[in-house]
Amino acid sequence: MTVEQLTLPTSELTSLEKSQCIKIEKKLRRNVGKAIFDYNMIEESDVIMVAISGGKDSFAMLDILLKLQKSAPINFKIIAVNLDQKQPGFPEHILPAYFESLAIPYYIVDKDTYSVVKAKIDEGKTTCGLCSRLRRGTLYSFAESIGATKIALGHHMDDMVETLFLNMFFGSKLKSMPPKLLADDKRNIVIRPLAYCREKDIMEYANYKHFPIIPCNLCGSQENLQRQNVKAMLTDWDKQTPGRVEAIFKSLTNVSVSQLADTNLFDFQNLTIDRSSEKQAYEFEKEQVSSSNIDESLYIDVTNI
């Protein structure tokens, strides 16, 4: 199958579809632009290595970044990179043909992580965790070798909220995927330009654009069941209370460490009372005592405290 067979030209869309496509594209561009600005994701002369898996998210990310590149007030380069993990049946011709049709620089990196995963993970077990770690290590190393200053990944708002709950439910940790991340060895910076974008919008845009999607099921592994359960939970919440996913994501940007319980982030042990300043009025502070067995003569005089 060729990329032409998989891609429907925008000109073949109906007038209504074109209108909807333009509307959703503007929304995505606005959200991506805001995320880039808020987190200073892209700077002058950056070389952005855009990791393309063959899924809808990375295709949409590349598409939007290429459009923003043309109108951005700064100059930056985009290099598309796909990691061919040698999964049986992977259509090797699809992505090179697509990149060539866009006339953009690209690399297809061959790394047989499939064999490593199959050798280390028992049959029937989820391979996604190890596969992701091997893929990340390869991309980090390759980014440095080509002089890339940022690595762009296609995770969106839904991914980040799902990861928050996965870490809480199964890892007892309050953490997610940050929009911008400095690697532990400080040699790479990862950015997630789709951080403010909902998956449903990306899916709608991908349907209009007819990207040559390559399904991530060639290795025979099923997507992590825990993530699927969390996704189903959030989907149900979103139906019952529209905007809940956005609200949860916003909470990640509005953290009060003193209202949590991590002693490494906040010094709970050394909290002390300080009544040296002028007392501020409390709401409903004029209380009346209706009954007590306390001898008021034993009260400490607090008028001068």
Side-chain angles (χ1 to χ4, degrees), residues 139-195:
L139 291 175
Y140 278 10
S141 177
F142 189 71
E144 189 170 352
S145 72
I146 64 173
T149 53
K150 305 280 174 60
I151 302 172
L153 302 181
H155 299 120
H156 45 66
M157 184 185 293
D158 296 67
D159 288 325
M160 297 164 78
V161 173
E162 288 165 15
T163 301
L164 172 69
F165 283 99
L166 282 168
N167 281 317
M168 283 197 296
F169 293 166
F170 305 106
S172 300
K173 295 179 181 179
L174 193 60
K175 71 173 188 176
S176 180
M177 297 173 172
K180 186 178 182 181
L181 171 71
L182 179 64
D184 291 340
D185 63 3
K186 297 179 171 54
R187 300 183 72 91
N188 285 288
I189 290 179
V190 170
I191 60 174
R192 296 182 169 96
L194 299 179

Side-chain angles (χ1 to χ4, degrees), residues 9-206:
T10 306
S11 59
E12 294 185 17
L13 297 176
T14 66
S15 297
L16 178 59
E17 288 173 333
K18 284 183 182 179
S19 176
Q20 289 297 105
C21 182
I22 292 171
K23 181 179 178 181
I24 200 68
E25 180 185 309
K26 286 182 178 179
K27 182 177 182 180
L28 291 174
R29 286 183 62 169
R30 182 173 62 252
N31 287 336
V32 170
K34 188 174 189 316
I36 290 173
F37 176 81
D38 287 351
Y39 294 94
N40 193 28
M41 291 184 182
I42 300 178
E43 301 169 87
E44 178 68 35
S45 302
D46 262 340
V47 178
I48 311 298
M49 188 180 95
V50 182
I52 304 298
S53 65
K56 68 182 188 315
D57 305 326
S58 59
F59 275 125
M61 174 179 63
L62 175 62
D63 183 89
I64 297 298
L65 286 178
L66 287 172
K67 288 180 169 62
L68 289 176
Q69 184 187 38
K70 295 177 181 178
S71 59
I74 59 173
N75 296 309
F76 62 93
K77 296 180 180 178
I78 290 176
I79 301 176
V81 173
N82 168 254
L83 176 59
D84 184 347
Q85 298 176 268
K86 299 305 174 185
Q87 297 169 329
F90 185 81
E92 298 178 355
H93 64 287
I94 293 293
L95 291 175
Y98 183 71
F99 297 145
E100 291 286 354
S101 73
L102 298 176
I104 61 171
Y106 72 91
Y107 289 98
I108 303 297
V109 180
D110 295 330
K111 190 76 169 181
D112 189 3
T113 61
Y114 172 82
S115 296
V116 177
V117 170
K118 286 301 182 182
K120 291 183 176 292
I121 303 296
D122 294 335
E123 190 70 29
K125 299 290 185 179
T126 301
T127 61
C128 300
L130 177 58
C131 182
S132 296
R133 290 194 297 274
L134 294 173
R135 184 169 62 248
R136 181 167 59 246
T138 301
L139 291 175
Y140 278 10
S141 177
F142 189 71
E144 189 170 352
S145 72
I146 64 173
T149 53
K150 305 280 174 60
I151 302 172
L153 302 181
H155 299 120
H156 45 66
M157 184 185 293
D158 296 67
D159 288 325
M160 297 164 78
V161 173
E162 288 165 15
T163 301
L164 172 69
F165 283 99
L166 282 168
N167 281 317
M168 283 197 296
F169 293 166
F170 305 106
S172 300
K173 295 179 181 179
L174 193 60
K175 71 173 188 176
S176 180
M177 297 173 172
K180 186 178 182 181
L181 171 71
L182 179 64
D184 291 340
D185 63 3
K186 297 179 171 54
R187 300 183 72 91
N188 285 288
I189 290 179
V190 170
I191 60 174
R192 296 182 169 96
L194 299 179
Y196 290 171
C197 300
R198 290 297 310 273
E199 183 176 23
K200 57 188 177 184
D201 293 331
I202 296 169
M203 189 176 298
E204 182 180 353
Y205 187 60

Side-chain angles (χ1 to χ4, degrees), residues 87-91 114 118 128 214-223:
Q87 297 169 329
F90 185 81
Y114 172 82
K118 286 301 182 182
C128 300
I214 301 173
C216 185
N217 60 4
L218 299 173
C219 61
S221 174
Q222 297 298 314
E223 186 176 351

